[in-house]
Amino acid sequence: MDPDITNGTQPNGAPPPPYAPHNKSLDHVIRTPGRQPSPLPTHLSVPGAITHRVLQETGSGYVAPKFEGKEAQIEAVMDQVETKGFIPSEFVESETNWFYEELGIDDMYFSTETVEAIVNHIHSLYAAKVAAFARDDKRLEIRLDKEAWDHAVYIDTSRPGVSTQDGPHYESRIDEKYLDGSTNADSYRVESFRSSSKLPEGQEQQLRCYFVYKCAFETPQPARDEVRLDKITDKRFLQKATKNTLDIYREIVKMTVGRTGPVIEVFDIQGKRDKRMVIAYRQGSALGFFSALSDLYHYYGLASTRKYVEQFSNGVTVISLYLREVDSSASATGRNPPIEASIHQIVKEVSLLFCIPQNKFQSHFATGLLSLQETIYAHCCWVFVGHFLNRLGTEYNSLASLLDDSNSAHAELLAKIKRRLRNETFTMDYIREIIHSYPLLMRSLYLNFANRHYVQTHGEQDELLPTLSYLRLKVDRILPDEELKALISKTVANEHHEMVMTAFRIFNSSVLKTNFYTPTKVALSFRLNSDFLPVEEYPHPLFGMFLVISSEFRGFHLRFKDIARGGIRIVKSRSVEAYNTNVRSLFDENYNLANTQARKNKDIPEGGSKGVILLDVNHQDKARVAFEKYIDSIIDLLLPPTSPGIKDPIVDLYGKQEILFMGPDENTADLVDWATEHARARNAPWWKSFFTGKSPKLGGIPHDSYGMTTLSVREYVLGIYRKLNLDPSTIRKLQTGGPDGDLGSNEILLSNEKYAAIVDGSGVLVDPNGLNHDELLRLAKERLMISSYDPSKLTSSGYRVLVEDTNYSLPSGEVVTNGTSFRNTFHLRAGKEYDMFVPCGGRPESIDISTVGKLIMDKKSLIPYIVEGANLFITQDAKLRLEKAGCVVIKDASANKGGVTSSSLEVLASLAFDDAGFIENMCIRDDGTAPEFYKEYVRQVQDVIKRNAALEFEAIWREHAETKIPRSILSDTLSIAITKLDEELQSTELWKDMKLRRSVLNDALPNLLLEKIGFDLIVERVPESYLRSIFGSYLASRFVYEYGSGPSQFAFFDFMRKRMAKLDQ
């Protein structure tokens, strides 16, 4: 224990107020079975029965070095003030002394500022006093700011405990200009003081001063986990901080380094009811947090006398607040809660504020009209409404039923109408305006939500102070759903407003569990029942749906089966327009990607899932922060929060254990190791299988290193050549996705065609005579873009156009005015110079019904063969038009399933091994050597990928020859048939036949795992639900590949007769 800090009791020994709460108690909460306890991802001190430590010092914890030249400076200032003559000579001394003595400014400021600057400040303050006499209300307003490159000063009139809606908003300015962008290389610290006396004629007003200083660190670039204060501290802070303050900061910085979210500590101040609250968090993880904290403690009747923001070069920010009641008589009369209850509530709400420091309805909170919970709840509903209100409606469905979707003109018209309806019906700004108009409705809807999900953790005789959220539930009437519906109809102005506010009710009824009331969190997560989705637009029902919201991002995680796996991608936006487009398409893109994944996962136990994180338009540089918050907040809903006061129990209306399997995708490949380690740190029993694509040191099998995805794509390419007796060396090939990417580089390394063109992020590379194969191999091995291709290796008809090029002349004489536009549309310029097109990269829907016509001439496809390696590169209607025009199209869900097969077998190994066996056999050593088991297992995985791809290719080719059904449809038909049969098989009596179960699992499980671990131990370790999925998917896929997607009614009987005959042999 630090010598200056001791454990104490409530100030003056006063017990907490006697409340008699009645609400859901911990014992009545629906519990999720079989979940293991979770440790602390964040930390806070819990007020109430768990007592605060008492600060054994009466000062601020800061002592500025004495400014020896202060007296001389005062004389010089008074001389200059008198010389200028603006202030009457008889007031010069009193105004100067008032500035130096009454405003609480310490010597650090005076030693930093020049005499001229101080004179200007005194003049400005005096001028404000003079101006006040000219006002009818005699209101004194003093607003002063000075900004330099290394420091800033702000002085403003301030009424304690009140957030003003007008005025200069200096705290917001400090956030935006100095704190939000602070890094270890460029940080600013803040000191803020309130004057000890009221202003003359100030109507309860005092002066608030803010001083901002650029940090000068002892060690500007320390290790991220460095915690020694003498290495990471600003020199000014070291000069001023007392030993007590250093002890506090040393402890809290140490805790923050090992946490995901904020660390919150509260201290009693000896001999006073005042409190000191210290909050620490990672730089850049909560923008606008400093100013938002003021709104929070003002709402609960508190004001700050001093506050400090300290930066540390290891990337930690610490805010220290000295809080007191604005009016102690207000708490005595019940107008404000006592400071103990206020602090208790503030501590619980700090992490809520941390998730979204500046919500879309902040003004209602700042004015005290709504609480923080109510406005952040409204913010979350605003996000929900924005994604799910812009549905197409019955009119669109009626129109779609009248038109022929096989007619390209009709299909294109429907696509355009769909886009316009979704873009123009309800914009996010319009939805926000509507919600903002109904604060009282927000409150009633919030109470309905809170009544479902708030838990008073200790039952009716709670040792801790009940929260004000809880007390509001006891005081205000909670309306049942029917009454809410009637209230909305009676209150709103028109039909559009009713649709928006009704969506709040849909949100409330859809939330199955949430971390909204968990004391510590870094983002808000909601597990939703997806039954509200219209079946006309989303014909395949989701099994699970998570919505995650933070200030930096919004994101979904969707899955189509209980056991499902898919990648997590981060979507960035280059402009506001691009962001608005991405917001509108976010859920649909996520749904389509997960659906594609479900079709792709036909051969494996896991169904399809996908997670998409969309960075906020103002947080495009926060990819890592967003990913970490997304993962941690979802884990909040997967593990039981059993650390009292840290991760309190939640209301779980789903009531079943859930395990998610995730993997890397766009912009997340370098983050999955963190997710794996974080799951392990939170004691998740499934940490080994949580993420695939992790580094080999953590047991991952990297797809790019072993060409896993490319192996299946390549199997389809080779299958076409084999069936049509084509010589690959004569094939002219077009590829999007260059040698710098996983799929693109491995496709080049495995290919033996003549490359005629490659498009990647840097531009377009073309040579009709064939690009130099050795040069392409060099780029692929070094993972370089085509911008690194040696131009001297191009023939006379070849060219390279980079995205930054303008007015570039092609060998044909055509002039390319804009390299970026040329790159983005090059795949649509294809003529008869290409035989094979393999998209290995590119945005979804790069070819849709409105653009596919450019690839068709005289009703014949200009490119004979397309193998879609990139996800969703071509829309389904565009594929069908290409096939109708004679193109052989292999769909993405079939072509690029190699990666998911590899990931599935990686998951299986992680579930089958215990921790020690997994580390020994599946983790690459520190010296880079791989265990023999790992190397052999990778080879088996590659064989499985090629075998599964070959089985599906033969099935698609055979069925197309027999039925003439387009291959793009057959790919889906096979997937649906396998998935449906898989689900049916898992629920039949076949699973209970132990001999059959053992036989099927023996065939489905990799031989190497069976030899190493043994069948019985694998069955003991792997969850039964996962084994059922293996059983069902293996039998279903083998049956469908052999008998087709529409077999006779006796086919399965024949298939199983052969299977059962094997058991008797």
Side-chain angles (χ1 to χ4, degrees):
M1 180 65 68
D2 296 328
D4 295 322
I5 304 175
T6 62
N7 284 325
T9 59
Q10 293 275 353
N12 307 320
Y19 295 110
H22 301 277
N23 194 41
K24 300 188 193 76
S25 71
L26 183 56
D27 294 334
H28 298 142
V29 177
I30 300 173
R31 296 188 182 265
T32 299
R35 301 195 300 178
Q36 301 304 311
S38 165
L40 319 183
T42 53
H43 170 90
L44 79 167
S45 61
V46 183
I50 302 174
T51 56
H52 307 151
R53 289 178 291 175
V54 179
L55 294 180
Q56 303 288 348
E57 64 178 7
T58 56
S60 66
Y62 287 79
V63 178
K66 186 175 181 182
F67 177 31
E68 299 296 343
K70 188 173 182 179
E71 293 301 322
Q73 186 188 68
I74 291 173
E75 292 297 325
V77 166
M78 286 195 289
D79 288 344
Q80 280 204 25
V81 169
E82 190 162 11
T83 301
K84 292 184 180 293
F86 179 72
I87 299 176
S89 57
E90 61 269 26
F91 296 147
V92 169
E93 184 174 357
S94 61
E95 289 299 321
T96 303
N97 287 335
W98 177 72
F99 183 80
Y100 271 85
E101 304 298 336
E102 298 295 325
L103 300 188
I105 303 173
D106 66 20
D107 280 8
M108 181 67 75
Y109 162 80
F110 295 113
S111 65
T112 304
E113 285 291 5
T114 64
V115 169
E116 291 75 14
I118 295 172
V119 169
N120 288 337
H121 291 167
I122 292 173
H123 277 147
S124 298
L125 295 172
Y126 183 77
K129 294 179 185 178
V130 173
F133 283 99
R135 295 173 57 128
D136 291 338
D137 59 2
K138 303 300 181 187
R139 184 179 172 189
L140 180 59
E141 284 190 352
I142 296 174
R143 285 166 183 167
L144 176 69
D145 60 86
K146 176 197 172 183
E147 295 173 345
W149 72 273
D150 61 342
H151 72 286
V153 179
Y154 304 95
I155 301 176
D156 190 15
T157 43
S158 167
R159 184 177 175 185
V162 176
S163 294
T164 57
Q165 295 304 293
D166 54 2
H169 297 287
Y170 286 142
E171 289 192 353
S172 296
R173 183 169 179 79
I174 290 169
D175 265 332
E176 293 168 10
K177 187 162 185 176
Y178 299 104
L179 299 183
D180 290 350
S182 280
T183 64
N184 54 3
D186 187 24
S187 293
Y188 291 84
R189 59 184 298 273
V190 179
E191 300 181 10
S192 178
F193 313 100
R194 181 178 297 282
S195 61
S196 55
S197 57
K198 296 175 183 176
L199 293 172
E201 305 293 333
Q203 302 174 353
E204 304 299 319
Q205 294 191 106
Q206 296 173 315
L207 277 188
R208 182 103 222 176
C209 305
Y210 303 89
F211 302 97
V212 182
Y213 302 101
K214 186 174 177 60
C215 294
F217 294 118
E218 294 289 343
T219 309
Q221 299 288 342
R224 185 178 168 87
D225 58 353
E226 177 62 72
V227 294
R228 290 173 294 177
L229 289 192
D230 59 324
K231 299 291 185 183
I232 60 175
T233 312
D234 169 66
K235 296 175 182 177
R236 247 193 209 95
F237 170 71
L238 273 181
Q239 291 175 350
K240 298 181 67 171
T242 63
K243 180 183 182 303
N244 199 34
T245 294
L246 289 172
D247 289 339
I248 292 171
Y249 278 45
R250 183 179 298 109
E251 183 180 345
I252 204 165
V253 168
K254 191 178 297 183
M255 286 190 287
T256 306
V257 165
R259 309 281 174 171
T260 308
V263 175
I264 308 160
E265 287 277 7
V266 177
F267 300 89
D268 293 331
I269 297 176
Q270 189 176 35
K272 298 181 179 179
R273 293 187 69 198
D274 296 3
K275 309 290 180 182
R276 182 179 181 182
M277 181 177 290
V278 184
I279 305 165
Y281 56 94
R282 283 286 182 184
Q283 284 178 344
S285 60
L287 275 58
F289 191 54
F290 175 66
S291 55
L293 278 170
S294 297
D295 293 336
L296 179 59
Y297 59 71
H298 288 167
Y299 183 84
Y300 291 110
L302 303 183
S304 63
T305 55
R306 299 183 303 279
K307 45 191 174 184
Y308 302 88
V309 181
E310 302 297 350
Q311 308 282 3
F312 297 87
S313 60
N314 64 350
V316 172
T317 297
V318 181
I319 298 177
S320 189
L321 308 172
Y322 290 78
L323 301 173
R324 64 174 50 172
E325 289 178 315
V326 174
D327 182 0
S328 58
S329 63
S331 62
T333 59
R335 284 189 289 121
N336 284 328
I339 189 170
E340 292 78 18
S342 294
I343 288 291
H344 177 45
Q345 186 68 15
I346 291 168
V347 167
K348 291 180 75 72
E349 291 191 17
V350 161
S351 72
L352 188 63
L353 192 70
F354 179 83
C355 295
I356 309 175
Q358 302 290 334
N359 70 73
K360 292 296 179 180
F361 308 98
Q362 190 82 9
S363 60
H364 283 328
F365 173 49
T367 57
L369 183 60
L370 294 176
S371 69
L372 180 67
Q373 300 103 315
E374 289 161 345
T375 54
I376 289 188
Y377 160 78
H379 179 101
C380 294
C381 288
W382 167 74
V383 173
F384 177 86
V385 173
H387 286 294
F388 300 113
L389 192 62
N390 286 330
R391 301 300 95 199
L392 304 178
T394 55
E395 295 85 354
Y396 174 84
N397 296 330
S398 300
L399 178 61
S401 66
L402 295 174
L403 297 178
D404 179 8
D405 58 6
S406 64
N407 181 309
S408 59
H410 289 188
E412 185 173 348
L413 176 63
L414 276 174
K416 288 180 178 177
I417 292 173
K418 181 187 288 188
R419 273 197 297 270
R420 177 165 292 184
L421 282 172
R422 290 199 169 158
N423 292 353
E424 296 180 0
T425 312
F426 288 91
T427 66
M428 296 302 291
D429 286 342
Y430 181 42
I431 293 169
R432 182 167 56 105
E433 288 173 13
I434 292 172
I435 297 172
H436 197 273
S437 305
Y438 300 105
L440 297 182
L441 264 186
M442 279 191 242
R443 175 172 293 166
S444 297
L445 288 159
Y446 166 76
L447 285 171
N448 179 271
F449 169 82
N451 190 52
R452 293 168 182 261
H453 295 285
Y454 182 78
V455 181
Q456 187 70 10
T457 53
H458 292 265
E460 296 194 355
Q461 302 304 317
D462 198 341
E463 293 175 324
L464 306 182
L465 294 170
T467 65
L468 300 183
S469 307
Y470 170 74
L471 296 178
R472 189 177 290 117
L473 287 175
K474 299 295 96 189
V475 174
D476 294 341
R477 182 167 178 265
I478 299 161
L479 300 179
D481 193 62
E482 282 303 313
E483 288 189 39
L484 268 179
K485 181 179 179 181
L487 179 64
I488 291 170
S489 298
K490 182 174 66 176
T491 307
V492 296
N494 57 46
E495 183 182 359
H496 275 188
H497 291 204
E498 184 169 6
M499 289 172 66
V500 169
M501 301 312 295
T502 296
F504 277 59
R505 288 176 48 237
I506 296 172
F507 176 78
N508 286 358
S509 63
S510 300
V511 176
L512 297 175
K513 51 184 173 179
T514 176
N515 68 350
F516 193 92
Y517 294 104
T518 300
T520 62
K521 52 193 165 286
V522 293
L524 297 170
S525 54
F526 304 89
R527 169 63 162 92
L528 300 172
N529 182 334
S530 61
D531 288 349
F532 64 87
L533 294 175
V535 69
E536 299 84 4
E537 297 178 55
Y538 304 100
H540 305 293
L542 290 167
F543 183 91
M545 176 179 177
F546 289 84
L547 168 63
V548 186
I549 301 171
S550 174
S551 58
E552 295 88 2
F553 71 94
R554 62 185 64 184
F556 289 98
H557 186 274
L558 310 178
R559 76 189 198 274
F560 283 93
K561 282 176 60 179
D562 184 14
I563 301 297
R565 199 199 64 78
I568 309 298
R569 66 170 49 182
I570 295 174
V571 177
K572 298 182 178 180
S573 310
R574 294 189 175 186
S575 63
V576 174
E577 293 75 17
Y579 174 74
N580 290 332
T581 300
N582 288 334
V583 167
R584 288 192 293 267
S585 64
L586 174 63
F587 181 80
D588 284 359
E589 180 174 326
N590 197 159
Y591 179 90
N592 291 332
L593 287 167
N595 200 18
T596 298
Q597 192 80 26
R599 296 193 296 273
K600 196 186 303 182
N601 289 12
K602 62 180 77 68
D603 303 316
I604 61 177
E606 302 96 341
S609 72
K610 208 71 170 183
V612 179
I613 301 168
L614 175 63
L615 295 179
D616 185 80
V617 66
N618 297 316
H619 295 85
Q620 293 299 299
D621 59 338
K622 294 293 189 300
R624 185 181 185 91
V625 169
F627 179 83
E628 291 183 0
K629 289 186 175 185
Y630 174 90
I631 294 299
D632 187 69
S633 60
I634 286 180
I635 290 178
D636 281 347
L637 302 185
L638 300 179
L639 292 176
T642 56
S643 304
I646 309 297
K647 292 290 182 184
D648 285 341
I650 59 175
V651 176
D652 185 352
L653 300 177
Y654 180 62
K656 299 176 185 177
Q657 182 179 4
E658 290 190 281
I659 302 175
L660 301 184
F661 301 104
M662 303 179 180
D665 206 311
E666 290 180 12
N667 298 311
T668 61
D670 60 336
L671 301 173
V672 297
D673 280 4
W674 176 88
T676 303
E677 296 284 16
H678 187 63
R680 176 157 59 174
R682 289 196 63 175
N683 282 351
W686 31 257
W687 69 269
K688 302 190 299 297
S689 60
F690 186 40
F691 258 87
T692 56
K694 50 191 177 288
S695 72
K697 288 187 176 182
L698 289 171
I701 302 176
H703 298 174
D704 54 352
S705 300
Y706 298 106
M708 297 303 193
T709 307
T710 312
L711 284 172
S712 61
V713 174
R714 195 69 194 157
E715 198 65 36
Y716 282 90
V717 172
L718 295 175
I720 292 172
Y721 296 159
R722 185 176 63 252
K723 291 291 184 182
L724 300 178
N725 295 315
L726 300 173
D727 180 1
S729 64
T730 66
I731 297 294
R732 299 164 301 169
K733 186 173 180 180
L734 164 65
Q735 178 177 309
T736 57
D740 61 312
D742 165 15
L743 196 52
S745 64
N746 282 303
E747 179 65 22
I748 290 171
L749 292 172
L750 294 175
S751 69
N752 54 352
E753 302 95 336
K754 182 169 72 174
Y755 270 95
I758 296 179
V759 181
D760 71 4
S762 66
V764 178
L765 182 66
V766 178
D767 197 328
N769 299 313
L771 294 164
N772 185 282
H773 190 65
D774 290 336
E775 180 67 358
L776 288 180
L777 290 177
R778 180 184 71 84
L779 297 184
K781 289 174 181 176
E782 297 181 22
R783 290 296 180 89
L784 298 174
M785 287 184 159
I786 55 139
S787 55
S788 298
Y789 186 91
D790 184 354
S792 68
K793 297 188 183 296
L794 290 169
T795 66
S796 58
S797 52
Y799 59 87
R800 183 183 66 187
V801 180
L802 301 180
V803 290
E804 60 266 24
D805 289 340
T806 56
N807 299 320
Y808 184 98
S809 295
L810 302 181
S812 64
E814 178 187 354
V815 176
V816 175
T817 57
N818 183 291
T820 301
S821 298
F822 185 73
R823 187 274 311 271
N824 291 345
T825 58
F826 182 82
H827 62 282
L828 300 171
R829 294 167 53 94
K832 296 181 179 179
E833 59 267 29
Y834 309 113
D835 303 308
M836 172 66 75
F837 178 23
V838 183
C840 293
R843 293 296 296 159
E845 302 185 7
S846 292
I847 300 175
D848 61 16
I849 193 66
S850 65
T851 58
V852 69
K854 296 180 180 179
L855 300 178
I856 298 171
M857 183 178 293
D858 299 328
K859 299 183 179 180
K860 186 168 180 60
S861 174
L862 296 172
I863 303 177
Y865 320 112
I866 300 177
V867 178
E868 188 183 24
N871 283 326
L872 303 177
F873 189 84
I874 311 172
T875 61
Q876 179 73 351
D877 45 11
K879 290 188 185 83
L880 295 177
R881 280 204 64 190
L882 286 166
E883 291 207 58
K884 190 176 182 180
C887 183
V888 175
V889 179
I890 301 297
K891 191 170 182 172
D892 55 349
S894 295
N896 69 7
K897 64 180 183 178
V900 304
T901 304
S902 172
S903 296
S904 178
L905 292 170
E906 180 185 326
V907 167
L908 179 59
S910 68
L911 293 172
F913 279 113
D914 59 14
D915 283 6
F918 184 76
I919 292 168
E920 179 186 349
N921 294 287
M922 287 295 294
C923 295
I924 303 296
R925 311 284 182 251
D926 290 339
D927 62 3
T929 58
E932 285 303 314
F933 178 90
Y934 182 92
K935 291 187 283 190
E936 184 58 33
Y937 193 67
V938 167
R939 283 191 286 271
Q940 281 201 9
V941 170
Q942 292 173 323
D943 290 342
V944 171
I945 289 170
K946 289 187 281 189
R947 183 167 63 248
N948 286 347
L951 283 170
E952 185 178 358
F953 174 81
E954 292 295 337
I956 291 173
W957 200 271
R958 182 185 67 244
E959 285 220 28
H960 175 73
E962 293 172 356
T963 65
K964 304 306 178 187
I965 296 173
R967 294 179 182 86
S968 299
I969 291 178
L970 286 174
S971 175
D972 290 343
T973 305
L974 286 171
S975 297
I976 292 167
I978 292 172
T979 303
K980 184 178 179 182
L981 181 57
D982 173 11
E983 292 172 355
E984 291 172 353
L985 288 173
Q986 290 185 49
S987 59
T988 64
E989 296 296 311
L990 291 175
W991 171 253
K992 296 180 181 178
D993 185 327
M994 298 304 295
K995 285 180 68 176
L996 177 64
R997 182 194 302 187
R998 190 177 189 97
S999 170
V1000 172
L1001 291 178
N1002 262 312
D1003 287 348
L1005 295 170
N1007 290 332
L1008 204 61
L1009 278 181
L1010 290 168
E1011 294 167 6
K1012 187 72 177 179
I1013 303 173
F1015 180 87
D1016 292 335
L1017 200 50
I1018 291 175
V1019 169
E1020 179 185 323
R1021 289 173 176 169
V1022 177
E1024 182 178 315
S1025 58
Y1026 197 89
L1027 292 172
R1028 275 179 178 264
S1029 289
I1030 294 176
F1031 177 85
S1033 63
Y1034 184 82
L1035 275 181
S1037 62
R1038 268 45 186 180
F1039 170 72
V1040 172
Y1041 288 155
E1042 183 177 347
Y1043 290 87
S1045 57
S1048 71
Q1049 56 184 321
F1050 299 107
F1052 189 72
F1053 172 79
D1054 185 53
F1055 174 78
M1056 287 306 299
R1057 181 181 57 78
K1058 295 177 185 176
R1059 183 89 215 177
M1060 299 303 286
K1062 286 178 61 178
L1063 298 181
D1064 298 328
Q1065 293 175 1

